[in-house]
């Protein structure tokens, strides 16, 4: 009996800047058997020392970004800390159709837009073990001025109150543990009754009839 391939799951992961979501997702991608694809965002923010253009983001100017907005290039976009960030529409639908789970690592305004247009998406929020640890992590990145770090820290204050709009919350105390938890959440979501393929249930029913027929029986 041939089983139809399930559609992929759209997974939105958010969390305050500095909570370590980038590393958790990186770990998740390298350690899982799940068929995951991380969407590459476009941004107008300045390139940091540890950024790899085309890998961390597609970097464009503010004007280029605004042109793309007009061209309806984005599934969602938002302004964050004075810069634009957006998820390109292209390829996401194709990946989902092919049974590949798509991860969007985006901030909260963008996540809430996705919630409006994609009711079937899964929303996971990552929190730091404490706010002092979050500040330490932000400072430890050594990539931004004190002023920018403080701005991000203050934004985190607003962000943590949005956690209730998500389906799951994972505290990133230890990166590997957090990534394992996200893996389990994704696996569990795949077993939800509302995700079972109707065609699969039908084929099980058909099979019952076939088997019974071998004994000249019917339901
Ligand atoms: P950073 O400047 O630290 O790389 O990112 C700042 C914030 O923008 C992070 O919370 C990150 O998740 C978010 N972000 C990255 N890409 C996107 C995107 O495509 N759309 C939205 N809405 N947020 C994004």
């Amino acid at each position: 009996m041939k089983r139809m391939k399930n559609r992929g799951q759209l997974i939105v992961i958010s969390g305050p800047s500095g909570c370590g979501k980038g590393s958790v997702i990186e770990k998740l991608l390298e350690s899982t058997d799940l068929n995951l694809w991380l969407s590459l965002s476009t941004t107008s923010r300045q390139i940091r020392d540890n950024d790899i253009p085309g890998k961390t983001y597609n970097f464009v100017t503010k004007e280029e970004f605004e042109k793309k907005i007009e061209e309806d290039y984005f599934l969602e976009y938002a302004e964050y800390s004075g810069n634009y960030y957006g998820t390109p529409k292209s390829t996401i639908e194709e990946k989902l159709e092919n049974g590949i789970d798509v991860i969007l690592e985006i901030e909260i305004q963008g996540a809430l837009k996705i919630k409006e247009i994609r009711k079937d998406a899964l929303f996971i929020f990552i929190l730091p073990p404490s706010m002092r640890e979050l500040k330490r992590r932000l400072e430890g990145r050594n990539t931004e001025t004190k002023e920018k770090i403080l701005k991000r820290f203050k934004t985190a204050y607003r962000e943590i109150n949005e956690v209730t709009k998500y389906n799951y919350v994972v505290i990133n105390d230890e990166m590997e543990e957090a990534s394992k938890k996200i893996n389990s959440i994704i696996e569990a979501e795949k077993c939800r009754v509302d995700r079972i393929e109707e065609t699969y249930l039908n084929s099980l029913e058909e099979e019952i009839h076939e088997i019974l027929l071998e004994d000249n029986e019917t339901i």
Side-chain angles (χ1 to χ4, degrees):
M1 190 180 59
K2 202 163 155 253
R3 283 198 50 194
M4 299 257 307
K5 194 160 35 169
N6 264 329
R7 240 178 92 78
Q9 168 97 51
L10 185 61
I11 303 154
V12 176
I13 303 184
S14 305
S17 196
C19 74
K21 54 191 182 301
S23 321
V24 171
I25 293 171
E26 216 173 284
K27 187 83 211 156
L28 175 71
L29 291 174
E30 70 178 39
S31 62
T32 187
D33 290 337
L34 292 167
N35 206 352
L36 297 175
W37 180 77
L38 176 63
S39 163
L40 178 66
S41 295
T42 303
T43 184
S44 67
R45 87 146 154 73
Q46 275 182 348
I47 303 180
R48 292 188 205 131
D49 283 350
N50 54 351
D51 279 319
I52 306 168
K55 189 162 186 287
T56 31
Y57 287 106
N58 272 327
F59 292 93
V60 296
T61 62
K62 188 167 175 273
E63 291 69 32
E64 283 166 339
F65 199 103
E66 284 169 350
K67 188 159 176 277
K68 284 181 187 293
I69 295 175
E70 274 169 33
E71 290 165 356
D72 201 22
Y73 176 80
F74 297 111
L75 182 63
E76 66 71 37
Y77 72 90
E79 245 186 294
Y80 182 91
S81 264
N83 299 303
Y84 284 123
Y85 295 85
T87 306
K89 270 187 193 163
S90 58
T91 65
I92 289 184
E93 198 47 41
E94 182 197 314
K95 297 277 176 195
L96 294 173
E97 273 301 315
N98 285 311
I100 297 168
D101 297 329
V102 174
I103 297 184
L104 308 183
E105 193 245 276
I106 61 178
E107 53 68 68
I108 293 153
Q109 306 165 68
L112 296 181
K113 281 184 211 156
I114 298 287
K115 203 171 178 187
E116 276 169 29
I117 53 174
R118 301 298 298 257
K119 303 278 177 223
D120 56 341
L122 168 63
F123 295 86
I124 303 174
F125 199 89
I126 301 184
L127 280 175
S130 72
M131 292 316 278
R132 209 161 275 289
E133 174 61 16
L134 182 89
K135 181 137 183 294
R136 199 186 63 75
R137 288 180 191 174
L138 277 173
E139 286 165 349
R141 293 209 290 215
N142 250 341
T143 50
E144 280 172 313
T145 59
K146 191 165 190 333
E147 191 198 349
K148 281 191 180 166
I149 289 174
L150 277 177
K151 192 169 178 194
R152 281 173 186 261
F153 189 67
K154 285 185 193 167
T155 306
Y157 181 82
R158 282 200 310 275
E159 288 175 327
I160 52 175
N161 287 307
E162 306 279 2
V163 64
T164 51
K165 296 182 176 136
Y166 285 66
N167 303 117
Y168 292 91
V169 59
V170 171
I171 297 169
N172 181 20
D173 206 345
E174 208 279 308
M175 192 246 291
E176 219 155 298
E177 270 305 302
S179 124
K180 266 193 213 155
K181 281 185 187 161
I182 294 179
N183 196 87
S184 307
I185 292 168
I186 300 171
E187 300 242 38
E189 279 293 306
K190 289 187 184 298
C191 302
R192 284 175 66 106
V193 169
D194 52 10
R195 277 180 61 83
I196 197 165
E197 291 277 328
E198 212 175 307
T199 46
Y200 176 61
L201 282 185
N202 289 342
S203 66
L204 288 184
E205 278 181 13
E206 264 173 42
E207 222 189 345
I208 296 177
H209 291 298
E210 275 169 31
I211 294 168
L212 286 176
L213 217 61
E214 288 165 13
D215 290 319
N216 287 325
E217 288 281 341
T218 53
I219 283 283

